[in-house]
Amino acid sequence: METLRIGIVGVGYIGNKHIETIRRIPHTRIMGVVDADYERACRMARDLGIPCVYTTVDEMLASDQIDVIHNCTPTSKHFEVNKKVICAGKSLYCEKPLTMNLEEAAELMALLEKNPVPNAVNLNYRMNALVQEMRTRVQDGESGRLFMVTGSYVQDWMMYQDDYDWRLDLEMGGRSRALSDIGSHLFDLCQFVTGQHITAVNAKLMIVHPKRLHYEKDGGTFSKEKGRFLGEVEVQNEDVANIMIRLSGGAEGMMQVSQITAGHKNDLRLRLDLEKCSYEWKQENGDMLYIGYRGRPNEILHREADMLSEQVRGFSRLPAGHPEGWNDVLYNAISAFYRSINEKNDGQTVPYATIEDGVSVMKVIDACMKSDREMRWVDVEMGACL
């Protein structure tokens, strides 16, 4: 297999996680990094033995030593960097959300049609073995007709008034915060597992702290370390979203997204109520799939390769009882993307999320925001193939 040469754009919290993961994948080499904080990039490159620190994204893209770009920048930079990568003909792995807004996402999709390159968006939860198993069972019809979907993604890291993050800044994070940051994962998970599009939404968004206390933040996204006080800021993007949804197959459901729910650290859940059973998966206990029945004992399916469908077994890498977590799911996503590049299977069905899937999620987010403004159901334009 050809060794892929990787460039990382953005070496903050998520960029660091990408680097850790890539270094576990065979036939890869991280060749260079670039970051708005040049000194931070230099320190990371020195500590990790990365051979090159670029001063600009353009300089990285001009290098013939880079095959794949990982875009790990703040949301406000996603469109600019993604566009440059596509135009340069490099393979692209972008963090979620794909862009700041639907207009940028649509422009990227149009550009990609003219300049096709291998691409992926880091909606990585779909790469959990039991999520793949749930999708397989739903798709093969053995569970019967889908009645209802219930999902939530709740956290507490923005619960206090003095919790501040760059995503609160509209110019950096965009008009949507909770929906874009974590709702994107929930919407992708729902559409991927059911194989259906979200076709309409009725959403109510909430801001629990109209003003927040802005302290300098040290140590990355989830750090509790605070620097000096910089003043009060007016909050204009949501902390919470409660959403009713309709799916293309006729089922309906409820979704909740929150970043202010005490005691929930990274609590992503999805439940499907079907004709013959129900399935429930919880990210914080991601090695188990709960299967509910009426008239017979319920089941817990543990993530064990021999117990999974044949096409899903490759997503499980450790024996049962050896928990696989967030880093392992990211490994599944990135390694599947790299395998696709090496096997040159562009255009074929892939398990990871692509830019097309990212656009589909952006359409749902855009419809939720419109629904909240207009206080009504809003149709979602049909998007990516599932």
Side-chain angles (χ1 to χ4, degrees):
M1 183 176 287
E2 179 183 351
T3 295
L4 292 174
R5 300 166 300 177
I6 316 301
I8 308 294
V9 183
V11 295
Y13 169 80
I14 196 65
N16 194 298
K17 298 307 175 187
H18 280 239
I19 290 171
E20 289 177 358
T21 302
I22 294 165
R23 287 160 68 93
R24 295 169 53 198
I25 301 174
H27 306 291
T28 64
R29 188 180 181 198
I30 300 173
M31 299 298 296
V33 295
V34 62
D35 191 88
D37 186 338
Y38 182 74
E39 294 303 320
R40 177 170 68 174
C42 288
R43 289 193 300 272
M44 177 169 286
R46 181 182 63 249
D47 292 346
L48 299 180
I50 297 171
C52 188
V53 179
Y54 296 96
T55 57
T56 66
V57 174
D58 292 333
E59 184 184 6
M60 175 181 280
L61 291 173
S63 171
D64 60 4
Q65 298 299 307
I66 302 290
D67 303 310
V68 184
I69 300 290
H70 282 241
N71 183 1
C72 302
T73 60
T75 308
S76 60
K77 300 296 183 183
H78 284 187
F79 174 71
E80 175 188 351
V81 174
N82 289 344
K83 186 175 181 178
K84 287 182 175 182
V85 174
I86 294 170
C87 290
K90 308 282 188 183
S91 298
L92 170 64
Y93 195 99
C94 179
E95 261 302 323
K96 56 77 201 167
L98 177 61
T99 55
M100 290 269 279
N101 53 59
L102 182 56
E103 293 77 19
E104 289 181 346
E107 186 174 339
L108 274 188
M109 197 69 222
L111 180 62
L112 194 62
E113 291 173 359
K114 297 177 182 177
N115 304 278
V117 298
N119 61 87
V121 177
N122 195 37
L123 295 162
N124 55 305
Y125 291 112
R126 62 160 65 190
M127 302 300 285
N128 179 283
L130 290 176
V131 169
Q132 293 280 334
E133 178 70 16
M134 187 163 42
R135 171 184 164 90
T136 297
R137 293 186 179 208
V138 171
Q139 296 295 304
D140 69 16
E142 72 173 53
S143 306
R145 179 166 59 92
L146 178 65
F147 291 159
M148 183 174 71
V149 180
T150 308
S152 61
Y153 198 162
V154 297
Q155 302 173 328
D156 68 1
W157 69 290
M158 296 296 288
M159 175 181 168
Y160 297 141
Q161 188 179 14
D162 62 354
D163 289 325
Y164 185 87
D165 183 73
W166 59 262
R167 293 170 179 84
L168 285 158
D169 184 336
L170 296 188
E171 293 187 1
M172 293 188 68
R175 297 189 302 268
S176 170
R177 175 165 41 93
L179 283 170
S180 291
D181 187 26
I182 57 177
S184 54
H185 283 298
L186 179 59
F187 298 143
D188 180 69
L189 199 66
C190 172
Q191 295 189 133
F192 178 73
V193 172
T194 64
Q196 299 181 26
H197 289 282
I198 298 172
T199 59
V201 297
N202 192 335
K204 179 68 175 71
L205 311 186
M206 295 169 51
I207 296 172
V208 301
H209 296 299
K211 291 186 178 179
R212 286 184 179 264
L213 308 180
H214 183 190
Y215 288 85
E216 286 183 329
K217 192 167 189 177
D218 302 320
T221 296
F222 296 106
S223 171
K224 295 185 174 74
E225 298 177 22
K226 291 181 171 67
R228 62 193 176 95
F229 179 60
L230 299 177
E232 283 191 343
V233 295
E234 185 177 349
V235 178
Q236 300 181 63
N237 47 26
E238 75 284 347
D239 296 300
V240 177
N242 294 303
I243 312 142
M244 293 186 288
I245 65 169
R246 292 178 185 146
L247 295 171
S248 53
E252 298 192 353
M254 294 289 297
M255 301 275 160
Q256 184 179 67
V257 175
S258 168
Q259 294 181 319
I260 50 82
T261 301
H264 295 260
K265 305 307 176 184
N266 197 40
D267 190 356
L268 170 61
R269 306 181 183 205
L270 186 72
R271 190 186 78 227
L272 306 183
D273 297 332
L274 298 110
E275 195 170 9
K276 297 181 181 179
C277 66
S278 66
Y279 297 116
E280 185 171 5
W281 178 79
K282 304 175 183 179
Q283 191 279 146
E284 290 186 336
N285 201 4
D287 270 11
M288 292 188 286
L289 177 64
Y290 298 81
I291 307 173
Y293 297 101
R294 178 177 171 180
R296 56 180 278 197
N298 299 329
E299 299 176 10
I300 296 177
L301 176 64
H302 291 266
R303 181 203 45 76
E304 183 175 4
D306 290 346
M307 298 293 104
L308 303 177
S309 301
E310 184 175 354
Q311 64 268 42
V312 174
R313 291 172 187 169
F315 293 91
S316 177
R317 301 182 179 277
L318 293 174
H322 298 73
E324 291 185 352
W326 187 92
N327 285 341
D328 302 289
V329 176
L330 184 60
Y331 178 98
N332 284 346
I334 296 176
S335 60
F337 178 55
Y338 289 175
R339 191 162 54 248
S340 176
I341 294 171
N342 268 312
E343 294 173 358
K344 296 180 170 55
N345 63 346
D346 295 343
Q348 299 182 22
T349 301
V350 293
Y352 54 84
T354 64
I355 283 180
E356 193 175 7
D357 297 307
V359 172
S360 179
V361 167
M362 292 299 299
K363 290 177 178 179
V364 177
I365 293 170
D366 190 74
C368 286
M369 296 179 67
K370 183 176 182 180
S371 172
D372 178 69
R373 289 194 306 269
E374 300 182 2
M375 296 185 292
R376 65 179 181 86
W377 280 90
V378 170
D379 290 335
V380 179
E381 180 184 351
M382 298 296 282
C385 298
L386 299 165

